[in-house]
Amino acid sequence: MIEAHLPVLQVVVPLILAPACVLCKDVPAWLMALLGSAWSLLCAALLLAAVLHHGPLDYAIGGWPPPWGIAYRIDTVNAFVLLLVSVIATAVVIYARRSVASEIAAGQHSLFYSAYLLCLTGLLGITATGDAFNLFVFLEISSLSSYALIAMGSDRRALTASFQYLIMGTIGATFILIGVGLSYMMTGTLNMADLAARIPTVSDTTTMRAAFAFLTVGISLKIALLPLHLWLPNAYAYAPSVVTALLAATATKVAVYVLLRFLFTVFGASFSFATMNLDIVLVPLSLAAIAAASLVAIFQSNVKRMLAYSSVAQIGYMTLGISLSNVTGLTATIVHLFNHALMKGALFLALGCVMYRIGSVHITQFAGLGREMPWTMAAFVAGGLSLIGVPLTVGFISKWLLILAALENGWWPVAVLIVAASLLAVVYVWRVVEQAYFKPPPGEATRGEAPLSLLLPTWALVAANVYFGLDTSLTADVAGIAARELLGGGP
Amino acid sequence: MNLLGLYNYWIVIVLMMVGFYLVIARSNLLRKVIGLNIFQTSVFLLFISIGKISGGSAPILKDGVEIYSNPLPHVLILTAIVVGVATTALALALIVRIREAYATVDEDEIHVQDEEA
């Protein structure tokens, strides 16, 4: 009975818990956030299992059939992304109790968890919905709450970072709204399945091409694709540690999912790539993102900012996989969505431990940390190895698939660049390792290891990095099914 | 004739560019928010224009009326307006806190202060 309502319940429960959080004191609010995240994780796991066994699920909200009501449609791609978002959200919320207590003023915790749950609701809603306008609404729910979350950072630059993100994010979301409006103009529907069915008949119009352009640019802003990434480094650098981990691991990933959904399901691969030639734009931008952002990352002195630039580079890998538009490329993108969330989640949580003990993530503060915080730094190194793409970690799987996909199209210079960029990742990860393990700690002050409640979620993600680097049956196989579905080949 | 007949869309484009220009060119944060509002309003107008059907009456059931305007874009825009209001409120709240922290709402001056710090 209740199983039939899982697609909507997993979005609605966090949504209802969010205002309830505001009424609570700090600790009950945390419990509610934990409850909401764990519930969405349970739902996502059940949904993925159901989708893999029985095929896509359709859910009509309020019993209104799709062309009139809002439909949720869960297929392999979004079930996978739902699982990813809820796994990260749960790990981060467990971590959040101690970290938030040290970084955010007492009395504001309930507001923090409320915004956290709203952000989660938005991200899950974007992923689950099958309605283009509903997607915009959820996008704004997640964006508005993430602006608020970022502004809670203790540095005053968090405020300006949040404002900058607000301006750029709103422009991006409005572009998406324009795109949705223009496609509604031509097709008279907002339902993604209907859109997909009707767009081919009107695809040869300027309006439709403009809709495509607005949607792509708007979503790219949310993804932080290279020239549109300016909001990201500061937002990640000055947000509270917990928020950085959540946003870095989920928000841009969900935006990549939205791009996949629009390019492949709504517009169709032939329109996106054969008619509109999106790859001509997307390939150079992705390659520029990979090269330039990795280079810039090397010269950052704030380690959080360094990883933020690395995120911009990693997003380049994902869009590169999309622009290859073959099954292997899409598989690489979807696998990298998951894997990058695991590695950046682990890395930012490790940085959160450093922040908790030391109160700064400036690179000079890492001197001697390898001895003083062995577990935290070991987690950082493991995450860093995964980021580089060392075998036995998830990073290797993603890069391997991406290189295979590039070679499949005969683009060997691209494959060379992917490997070269991994060397740049070695450089910026090494800078931290060098400080932590080969420099003496400053002064006499001994700084202890982070508490267990912070280390456990961090190490859970590190363990996932290794586990999914060895056993790819959940990631690569499911991503392969999802990629074939997106390209219309059926599972 | 056709160009003039689409004057709604011309207004949309002009408003959109005016708003966009304000967001990009002004360093005063408040003016940026105002620009953002104009930008969003142009999109509301775009949606409302889509809903109009030539000769259609207001979408209220009535005897003797055959053609109605499409009410759906109006509903969508109601939602989008709410989103716009929320965004503005959040932006203004941020500006208040930025002013408390930096004692200015000018982007260039904030940048100078950040460079010095």
Side-chain angles (χ1 to χ4, degrees), chain A residues 108 133 136-137 140 143-145 147-148 151-153 155-160 162-164 166-167 170-171 174-175 177-178 180-182 184-185 188 190 214, chain B residues 9 16 20 23 29-30 32-33 36 39-40 43-44 46-47 50 70 72-73 76-77 79-80 83 86-87 90-91 94-95 97-98 101-102 110 113-114 117:
Chain A
Q108 287 188 352
F133 189 80
F136 162 77
V137 174
E140 283 292 30
S143 303
L144 285 168
S145 48
Y147 308 146
M152 285 186 184
D155 194 306
R156 68 176 177 177
R157 279 170 289 186
L159 297 171
T160 42
S162 168
F163 189 81
Q164 198 184 12
L166 183 142
I167 296 286
T170 307
I171 291 175
T174 312
F175 268 42
L177 184 62
I178 297 170
V180 170
L182 292 177
Y184 178 72
M185 206 167 166
L190 294 165
F214 273 113
Chain B
Y9 296 100
M16 196 180 279
F20 205 43
V23 174
L29 299 183
L30 268 174
K32 275 181 189 287
V33 175
L36 202 62
F39 180 66
Q40 288 180 313
V43 182
F44 303 162
L46 172 74
F47 268 76
I50 295 171
N70 186 350
L72 188 69
L76 298 182
I77 279 324
T79 316
V83 170
T87 312
L90 185 61
L94 279 175
I95 290 176
R97 285 198 48 204
I98 287 174
Y102 289 88
I110 291 170
Q113 288 191 30
D114 276 344

Side-chain angles (χ1 to χ4, degrees), chain A residues 99 126 128 159 204 310 326 328 339 349 393 401 410 423:
Chain A
S99 183
I126 296 171
L159 297 171
D204 200 26
S310 145
N326 56 27
T328 327
N339 291 349
L349 288 186
T393 61
L401 283 169
L423 294 179

Side-chain angles (χ1 to χ4, degrees), chain A residues 333-387:
Chain A
T333 298
I334 299 166
V335 168
H336 198 45
L337 274 185
F338 191 84
N339 291 349
H340 181 242
L342 292 181
M343 48 183 131
K344 273 291 151 60
L347 283 169
F348 277 119
L349 288 186
L351 285 187
C353 296
V354 174
M355 194 76 181
Y356 181 82
R357 276 291 177 233
I358 298 177
S360 163
V361 288
H362 198 272
I363 189 138
T364 51
Q365 298 288 330
F366 279 73
L369 268 193
R371 221 160 298 145
E372 290 168 338
M373 300 176 75
W375 287 98
T376 305
M377 287 319 294
F380 188 90
V381 171
L385 289 176
S386 187
L387 194 62

